[in-house]
Amino acid sequence: MPSKKHDQPPLLYADAIDIPVLFRDGPGGRTKGKWRQDDLAAWTGAGFPSDDGWYLPTTTWREILRAAVNVGRDLSPWLDRPHYAAREIAARTAPMDTYMDLHEGPKLHPYNAGRRLTSNVILQEGTESSARGAFSYRMGMTMAEWACRSLMGLGQTWHIEDKWPLGITDPAQNVKTVKGQKNPRPDLWGRHDGEDRHWLIEAKGGDIRPDRLDRGWEQLKGGCTVVHPHGLDHRLVLCGTGLLRHATPKNDLFVTIRHEHHLGEPTGQSSSPAGDSPGPPTPLSAEESLDEDESGAHLLDVARSQMLLFQSLRAVEITGFSQLRLVPVAHNRAERRRTSGLLTLMEDDEATRRGRDALRERPGEPSDEQAREVGLEGFLTARIPGTEVTLGMSQRLYAACESLYWADRDIAAHTPGLRAEDLGAADLREGEIDRRVTAARREYRERQEDARPRLQRQVRDAFTEADDQPWSSRMGANPAFELSPGTLESTTPETYLAIDPTEIVHRQR
């Protein structure tokens, strides 16, 4: 290593981080270090901003890890062995923790942390181009999820490869892809209830040169060709996450968002993208509306989005039940107001802290019954192997996921070609394998949609019936309660995420 270069310190907690974000309504070249200027505007709330330009929101490392865990294809049909789910979570989170560090940055607004993300010396000096490319993909997808959901209030995201909005069929889905990608498509889509429109999202990461962003925009335009004939009002969002290889004090991670609003007309006419619909106050997330979701429509989507987490908890239960913990969280979800994107940070959760203090004063070992008496409920949690993250969920969401898991297994068992052993001859060419797997996955998704009314009722019944049951009724015994996890904790209405700062290796400079 060059003698004058210093290794950045590892990520330190408290975990607040400032992330420069640029909104623009047209193509743009390199940002030329403008993210380091002192005129970045204050971020005043969730929703799409009415004006383009540079902003400086503050988020948390917990929020970024949540985005890393949640973005990605639903792998439920292939998860016969639950430990694969824990490995997938590790694959999504480890690159972010491996190649990023913190350094000081200017506090331009009172709420800013004065810390920004940067690349570390391992990414700068110790990786080859292919490893950097893999990291750029993970980083780009994670930060696109963070920007669209945590920052701007988008709902659940789905991969275009799995399905399109409103069940739209891609006319190119049965067309063999040729070299050069004749049918470019974006990565993700979601619905923004506040804007009352769908978003098509393409994520790019790393050294986001103009040519890479141009290719991303072409992928979004390819998505337009699919949805325009159906008159779908939608917004195109190109999310580029810039992180140069050089670890210098001026190398902040920053995000650029190019956007364009397309009217719901078959002609594909686009409206003025800036200021056409400023974001209203943040609507309820799907999790926050589950008690009123009598049909189970939102619940089914939430349960499917948390199958990796459910499977990871099952893996820990199977291999080491003693490693499971019940962490008490305020039962009244209305008291756990969001304080960082989609998360309620435990340091801001007075109801949970008050309930835990009351539970400590009770004689004997804590139990489900005692927890409920003081306004708490036990979330099932476990440290995910190979990560710094502890994840968990409520019992009623666990029950809904369990019901959905067995239903998905049954659908998968009746979908020809979905399993590896269904491929037949081992000498199939890779292109033929891809074609068969894609066709089987598409049939599986179609069967899921056909079964949706039944699945909604099924997961709703499981969700409701589990609300007042002890965990011992589901597992045969109660995992141990953990009243003082000693970690940086956070929750959504039905899930739990924590990180342990003592696990960070502090190196001397």
Side-chain angles (χ1 to χ4, degrees):
M1 290 174 53
S3 60
K4 293 184 178 180
K5 289 190 178 296
H6 296 283
D7 192 4
Q8 272 74 35
L11 288 168
L12 305 176
Y13 303 96
D15 61 337
I17 304 165
D18 306 326
I19 298 182
V21 181
L22 170 64
F23 291 88
R24 55 190 176 192
D25 55 16
R30 292 182 179 274
T31 56
K32 297 180 180 178
K34 291 182 179 179
W35 64 88
R36 295 291 299 183
Q37 295 181 2
D38 60 3
D39 59 349
L40 278 65
W43 186 257
T44 57
F48 211 95
S50 57
D51 296 315
D52 284 344
W54 281 100
Y55 294 83
L56 190 61
T58 296
T59 187
T60 64
W61 187 241
R62 280 168 280 183
E63 193 75 36
I64 292 174
L65 288 176
R66 185 214 60 80
V69 170
N70 281 273
V71 68
R73 177 184 290 163
D74 169 27
L75 302 178
S76 59
W78 295 277
L79 293 179
D80 285 338
R81 298 175 183 173
H83 67 273
Y84 286 146
R87 292 180 179 180
E88 174 65 16
I89 289 178
R92 296 181 184 187
T93 59
M96 307 292 290
D97 191 47
T98 301
Y99 297 123
M100 286 183 169
D101 282 324
L102 287 178
H103 70 114
E104 294 182 358
K107 292 185 65 173
L108 304 184
H109 306 287
Y111 62 82
N112 285 150
R115 290 182 295 273
R116 300 191 185 183
L117 286 168
T118 187
S119 58
N120 66 17
V121 71
I122 299 300
L123 183 67
Q124 179 184 2
E125 305 290 350
T127 58
E128 67 281 358
S129 59
S130 57
R132 290 195 297 274
F135 166 65
S136 295
Y137 168 78
R138 290 292 185 187
M139 178 181 63
M141 293 295 289
T142 295
M143 297 310 296
E145 175 85 356
W146 168 80
C148 292
R149 300 202 64 199
S150 298
L151 195 63
M152 295 185 288
L154 186 70
Q156 178 67 39
T157 57
W158 288 270
H159 270 249
I160 289 288
E161 288 184 2
D162 284 341
K163 64 177 181 178
W164 286 82
L166 307 180
I168 291 173
T169 300
D170 187 342
Q173 69 179 15
N174 294 316
V175 177
K176 183 179 180 180
T177 303
V178 298
K179 188 174 181 180
Q181 196 178 15
K182 288 184 63 176
N183 302 303
R185 297 293 185 262
D187 290 316
L188 305 166
W189 70 270
R191 177 172 174 78
H192 196 294
D193 289 332
E195 286 196 343
D196 192 26
R197 67 172 63 103
H198 291 78
W199 290 11
L200 302 182
I201 306 157
E202 175 60 25
K204 297 295 182 185
D207 187 2
I208 47 172
R209 301 180 303 275
D211 58 331
R212 290 197 67 213
L213 295 178
D214 289 343
R215 287 196 295 272
W217 196 253
E218 288 302 313
Q219 290 173 260
L220 286 166
K221 289 292 189 181
C224 283
T225 63
V226 178
V227 300
H228 273 320
H230 301 271
L232 183 68
D233 186 14
H234 62 282
R235 185 186 290 278
L236 303 184
V237 179
L238 174 61
C239 186
T241 303
L243 185 64
L244 304 180
R245 181 181 173 187
H246 304 293
T248 72
K250 293 185 178 181
N251 182 26
D252 301 335
L253 178 143
F254 63 93
V255 175
T256 67
I257 296 177
R258 180 183 171 187
H259 56 101
E260 188 172 275
H261 172 212
H262 284 243
L263 301 176
E265 299 178 359
T267 59
Q269 179 183 356
S270 63
S271 69
S272 174
D276 58 337
S277 181
T282 310
L284 293 177
S285 69
E287 280 188 50
E288 291 170 307
S289 62
L290 293 185
D291 286 329
E292 292 76 38
D293 179 32
E294 296 183 0
S295 70
H298 292 310
L299 175 60
L300 180 59
D301 290 337
V302 169
R304 198 171 297 291
S305 72
Q306 298 300 329
M307 291 303 287
L308 272 182
L309 171 52
F310 165 75
Q311 288 275 50
S312 298
L313 293 174
R314 285 192 70 244
V316 175
E317 178 188 358
I318 294 169
T319 60
F321 181 84
S322 62
Q323 300 176 39
L324 294 173
R325 294 290 184 271
L326 294 182
V327 174
V329 177
H331 182 72
N332 187 343
R333 288 153 175 80
E335 294 187 24
R336 292 190 274 126
R337 294 182 176 87
R338 285 183 276 163
T339 53
S340 175
L342 296 176
L343 295 177
T344 299
L345 304 183
M346 196 60 69
E347 53 264 40
D348 299 321
D349 188 355
E350 180 63 30
T352 294
R353 294 202 306 271
R354 191 169 56 246
R356 288 181 179 180
D357 289 340
L359 191 57
R360 287 189 188 95
E361 297 174 358
R362 296 292 182 99
E365 292 295 323
S367 65
D368 277 328
E369 183 179 357
Q370 288 181 328
R372 293 181 185 278
E373 288 176 356
V374 297
L376 301 174
E377 65 176 293
F379 275 37
L380 185 69
T381 71
R383 176 75 172 265
I384 304 302
T387 76
E388 64 175 279
V389 187
T390 296
L391 297 176
M393 64 171 58
S394 68
Q395 183 174 187
R396 61 183 191 171
L397 180 57
Y398 187 96
C401 288
E402 186 176 43
S403 174
L404 180 58
Y405 167 73
W406 291 111
D408 281 346
R409 286 285 301 276
D410 183 65
I411 294 173
H414 292 86
T415 303
L418 191 66
R419 301 297 185 196
E421 57 267 28
D422 296 337
L423 290 176
D427 58 351
L428 289 175
R429 292 185 177 182
E430 185 174 348
E432 179 63 16
I433 293 176
D434 287 344
R435 188 190 67 78
R436 293 190 183 187
V437 169
T438 300
R441 187 172 66 234
R442 184 167 57 248
E443 181 177 348
Y444 171 76
R445 299 302 183 201
E446 291 172 353
R447 289 173 181 244
Q448 280 184 320
E449 286 302 311
D450 290 342
R452 187 175 179 89
R454 172 177 59 83
L455 295 179
Q456 288 179 190
R457 294 190 300 271
Q458 187 172 316
V459 298
R460 183 66 197 181
D461 289 344
F463 183 82
T464 304
E465 293 169 2
D467 200 21
D468 295 319
Q469 295 176 347
W471 279 100
S472 57
S473 66
R474 185 168 303 281
M475 297 185 165
N478 260 355
F481 266 86
E482 185 72 69
L483 289 182
S484 301
T487 59
L488 291 167
E489 302 172 88
S490 59
T491 63
T492 68
E494 305 296 334
T495 68
Y496 175 91
L497 183 149
I499 48 181
D500 187 348
T502 65
E503 295 294 327
I504 303 298
V505 178
H506 293 272
R507 295 163 291 185
Q508 293 183 352
R509 301 187 67 173

